[in-house]
Amino acid sequence: MTPSRATRTPRALLAGLPFAAAALVATAVHTSLRDRLPDPMATHFPGSGPPDGFSSAEGFLVVGLLMLIGTGVLFAVVAARQRVGAARWTVVLGWATAGLLGSVSVSVLRVNAVVGDAHDARMPWWHLVVAFGIGAVAGGAGWLITRGWPRAWEVGEGTAGGASLALREGERAVWVRQAGSWPLALIAAALIVAGLVVTALVSRWGLVVAGAGLATLVFGRVQVTVGPRGLVVAQSLLSWPRVRIPLEQVESASRRTISPLGDFGGWGYRIRPGASGVVLRAGEALVVRRSGGREFAVTVDDAGTAAALLNSLVARKGSPC
């Protein structure tokens, strides 16, 4: 269900609030240290060595504010469009990202303010540790503020497990749905941002972190298709790797509520005794019982309709011509 305007606005404001606060803090620190900042000032620090990137003091502030405001708007828009439970994760990760970015900006200003020449500036490793710590604390604050929000997996009942759809003779039907995880997508976004920050300020090894975030983003969304070919679960962007269960191997299908940790021990492609699955979030899932008794689950909205169609297609294929 699409959030109403009355709920969209508070979510957007709460998601964007820490970025506005970080922008104000960065501006205040810049103003207080402006007379002590070298011009140009150091902005990129490769490890413990001398800086290899510079910018004017005003240019650094403008770029930093644009980054904070732009990222804040992105998180606000996402939170406004999500269900309440998913929006909670957006707020938490938004607060953590704002804390990280704001702390890094302040650290760059402080290490420049204590030197007369920008070439003498150094970024101690513990500044980054503090920055990630502040991000974690800010994320925790977001979690506490939103602790009364409903969980992301509180969804409608859908079609009851084991039900089937009435298909006329010769009628063809295909059910297609995108399935993903907003928390996983935002974790990926946070990794990309953190990797780019580390790359810009410290070392190009941060690209490894950004690459991990990009991979998480790509493989964190799948397309689920139920049709004459059976069940097909494929990556949304790459269409590979994929899982295909033909109708001949399906005994029945149902809708169930899945807990990633409780039922599969985690997220992603999971295998456990008697079952496997693509588990990207908690909530309703399409569960297929295969020939031989093993089950396959994929977390997806409207799983009841998918299960009913799959049962109908299996029954049609097994009926005499």
Side-chain angles (χ1 to χ4, degrees):
M1 183 173 63
T2 302
S4 65
R5 183 181 298 275
T7 58
R8 287 200 304 263
T9 301
R11 294 179 207 172
L13 291 175
L14 191 58
L17 177 63
F19 293 93
L24 289 174
V25 169
T27 302
V29 173
H30 182 277
T31 302
S32 66
L33 299 177
R34 181 64 188 90
D35 294 338
R36 298 160 53 190
L37 293 175
D39 199 355
M41 57 179 282
T43 57
H44 187 271
F45 303 86
S48 58
D52 61 0
F54 303 87
S55 168
S56 67
E58 287 73 18
F60 174 78
L61 179 62
V62 170
V63 171
L65 292 180
L66 288 176
M67 180 173 61
L68 285 168
I69 294 172
T71 308
V73 169
L74 175 62
F75 273 91
V77 170
V78 171
R81 297 177 62 88
Q82 292 176 301
R83 295 193 303 268
V84 174
R88 184 187 186 193
W89 285 99
T90 302
V91 170
V92 171
L93 289 173
W95 281 54
T97 302
L100 170 64
L101 295 179
S103 179
V104 168
S105 297
V106 170
S107 290
V108 172
L109 292 170
R110 289 184 60 191
V111 299
N112 275 275
V114 297
V115 296
D117 188 331
H119 292 83
D120 297 328
R122 299 292 185 272
M123 177 66 73
W125 63 268
W126 60 265
H127 275 244
L128 285 180
V129 175
V130 171
F132 279 98
I134 290 176
V137 171
W143 177 267
L144 291 175
I145 290 173
T146 59
R147 65 183 181 276
W149 290 12
R151 296 175 296 176
W153 52 91
E154 290 183 348
V155 296
E157 287 301 317
T159 306
S164 60
L165 295 178
L167 296 177
R168 294 187 296 273
E169 184 177 353
E171 183 179 12
R172 296 175 60 85
V174 176
W175 180 94
V176 181
R177 193 79 178 234
Q178 297 283 327
S181 167
W182 279 111
L184 191 63
L186 289 170
I187 289 174
L191 287 174
I192 293 173
V193 170
L196 293 178
V197 168
V198 172
T199 300
L201 297 177
V202 182
S203 170
R204 289 178 176 82
W205 282 106
L207 290 175
V208 175
V209 178
L214 183 60
T216 302
L217 190 63
V218 170
F219 289 98
R221 192 165 187 83
V222 298
Q223 178 171 291
V224 184
T225 304
V226 172
R229 298 179 60 195
L231 170 66
V232 178
V233 180
Q235 299 297 328
S236 295
L237 296 179
L238 302 179
S239 298
W240 184 90
R242 65 172 59 197
V243 175
R244 179 173 178 262
I245 304 177
L247 294 177
E248 295 82 358
Q249 297 181 14
V250 177
E251 287 189 0
S252 63
S254 61
R255 173 199 178 278
R256 297 186 198 166
T257 299
I258 294 294
S259 168
L261 287 175
D263 295 322
F264 285 92
W267 291 261
Y269 182 78
R270 313 298 297 179
I271 299 177
R272 65 171 178 78
S276 60
V278 176
V279 183
L280 299 179
R281 58 168 174 76
E284 64 175 323
L286 169 63
V287 180
V288 176
R289 185 173 182 82
R290 309 179 66 167
S291 304
R294 286 188 60 84
E295 292 185 332
F296 176 81
V298 55
T299 50
V300 62
D301 289 336
D302 195 30
T305 301
L309 175 58
L310 194 54
N311 286 328
S312 299
L313 293 172
V314 170
R316 172 188 282 182
K317 193 170 187 66
S319 63
C321 298

